[in-house]
């Protein structure tokens, strides 16, 4: 790891603009974006979108016209931030001023998902070389959960994919300044990113043993989460009720405090909740396209634990399916762990790295055929 650390405070890597691998990567991203973006727009024009896209379209439209985050479609409140804390939506308002159309959101989402490959490739390139790094990029674009996010209307959590990819890469490279900036932007995407960010702080504190940075990040994100869920969002919600989505954890308790108490006093209940057939399938469909490599990417795989925990403990069946948008915060962290695994195989023996890359590409192609909703996949309509 030490050989490839970049401790400077740059926000992003600085590839030489005309290197062939970056041009090839850009062409791959452009091709993927054109396919997914065209299909997303065609779905909308065929009346195959509904409530979710309608809600976000109204919020961005109202924000562009001087009524920030107004919504008449969210139950109990006209302030969308009281339901989901997504102030980063405001960056789309200028585009809506130019072209007030829901297709703006679909195109923006496609661009964000495609952009996730940039920090991934930049993280992989010094560790794996050009060939394996391009295989990782290809596996990213073949990943079925990413396809479903791109085609399932519009959701702000999709915007977290490039931000968490950049933040996770910066954390693993021990670049604290860049980590804070990218993670800070990701926190403005949606309220649940606060839980992901706590995991970043604990990783820096306990795994990397960067005590000052890790402690500050952990305490800061815990306070942010407490402030957000306990004060800010209830205040913005005109009903005054607490975080409404805690009801998705009804098996464990009716409030966040009750959920935590159940996890501490009755851990068997949590195990029983997680060990269902549908959730095992969910984990299989997350890991199989990556040939299980993230499991070998210790300790980077630990960054996925907070997101996996709040997903698997939920009673809400859609939250543990690759067909919806809830996988977005997991995707960057799984791919970064896969890169770490390939790097370790390559360091031990070059042939092992190549075998790992071949396994990754084979698994990605097979999974895309089995589960992808894009052309060439069995789920394509």
């Amino acid at each position: 790891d030490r050989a490839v650390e970049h401790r400077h405070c740059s926000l992003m890597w600085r590839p030489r603009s005309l290197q062939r691998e970056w041009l090839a990567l850009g062409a791959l991203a452009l091709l993927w974006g054109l396919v997914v973006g065209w299909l997303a727009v065609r779905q909308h024009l065929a009346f195959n979108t509904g409530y979710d896209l309608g809600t976000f379209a109204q919020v961005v439209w109202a924000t562009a016209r001087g009524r920030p985050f107004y919504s008449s479609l969210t139950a109990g409140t006209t302030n969308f931030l009281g339901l989901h804390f997504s102030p980063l939506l405001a960056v789309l308002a200028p585009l809506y001023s130019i072209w007030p159309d829901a297709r703006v959101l679909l195109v923006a989402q496609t661009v964000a998902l495609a952009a996730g490959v940039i920090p991934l490739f930049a993280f992989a390139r010094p560790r794996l070389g050009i060939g394996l790094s391009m295989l990782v990029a290809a596996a990213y674009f073949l990943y079925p959960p990413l396809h479903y996010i791109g085609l399932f209307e519009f959701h702000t959590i999709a915007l977290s994919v490039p931000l968490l990819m950049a933040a996770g890469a910066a954390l693993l490279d021990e670049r604290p300044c860049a980590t804070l900036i990218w993670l800070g932007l990701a926190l403005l995407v949606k309220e649940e990113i606060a839980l992901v960010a706590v995991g970043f702080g604990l990783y820096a504190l306990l795994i990397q043993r960067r005590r000052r940075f890790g402690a500050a990040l952990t305490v800061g994100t815990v306070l942010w989460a407490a402030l957000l869920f306990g004060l800010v969002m209830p205040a913005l919600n005109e009903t005054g009720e607490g975080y409404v989505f805690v009801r998705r954890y009804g098996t464990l308790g009716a409030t966040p405090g009750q959920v935590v108490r159940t996890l501490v006093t009755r851990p068997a209940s949590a195990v029983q909740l997680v060990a269902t057939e549908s959730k095992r399938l969910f984990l299989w469909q997350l890991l199989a396209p990556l040939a299980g490599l993230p499991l070998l990417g210790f300790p980077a795989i630990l960054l996925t634990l907070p997101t996996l925990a709040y997903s698997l403990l939920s009673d809400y069946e859609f939250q543990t399916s690759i067909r919806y948008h809830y996988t977005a915060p997991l995707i960057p962290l799984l791919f970064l762990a896969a890169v770490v695994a390939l790097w370790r195989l390559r360091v031990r023996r070059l042939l092992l790295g190549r075998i790992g890359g071949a396994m990754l590409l084979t698994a990605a192609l097979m999974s895309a055929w089995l589960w992808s909703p894009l052309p060439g996949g069995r789920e394509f309509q």
Side-chain angles (χ1 to χ4, degrees), residues 23 47 57 69 73 85 96 119 128 154 169 173 213-214 240 261 276 285 297 315 319 321 356 371:
L23 292 174
F47 300 98
F69 305 104
L73 302 174
F85 191 77
Y96 241 72
L128 305 180
F154 171 87
D173 277 339
F213 174 69
R261 193 179 308 117
T276 64
Q285 291 180 322
D315 298 324
Q319 201 160 329
S321 169
W371 300 317

Side-chain angles (χ1 to χ4, degrees), residues 301-349:
I301 187 62
L302 296 177
L303 288 172
T304 65
L305 293 183
T307 314
L308 280 173
Y310 75 68
S311 298
L312 295 174
L313 291 172
S314 172
D315 298 324
Y316 190 56
E317 60 178 328
F318 299 137
Q319 201 160 329
T320 48
S321 169
I322 65 167
R323 294 175 177 271
Y324 302 98
H325 55 286
Y326 300 103
T327 58
L330 275 170
I331 291 173
L333 307 180
L334 287 171
F335 270 89
L336 292 173
V339 169
V340 171
L342 283 173
W343 174 75
R344 289 192 164 170
L345 291 173
R346 188 170 181 264
V347 165
R348 290 187 178 183
R349 185 170 294 180

Side-chain angles (χ1 to χ4, degrees), residues 260-283:
V260 173
R261 193 179 308 117
T262 302
L263 292 175
V264 173
T265 59
R266 293 190 287 119
S269 300
V271 173
Q272 189 175 14
L273 188 62
V274 168
T276 64
E277 184 178 352
S278 64
K279 291 176 181 178
R280 291 197 300 270
L281 175 63
F282 174 64
L283 291 174

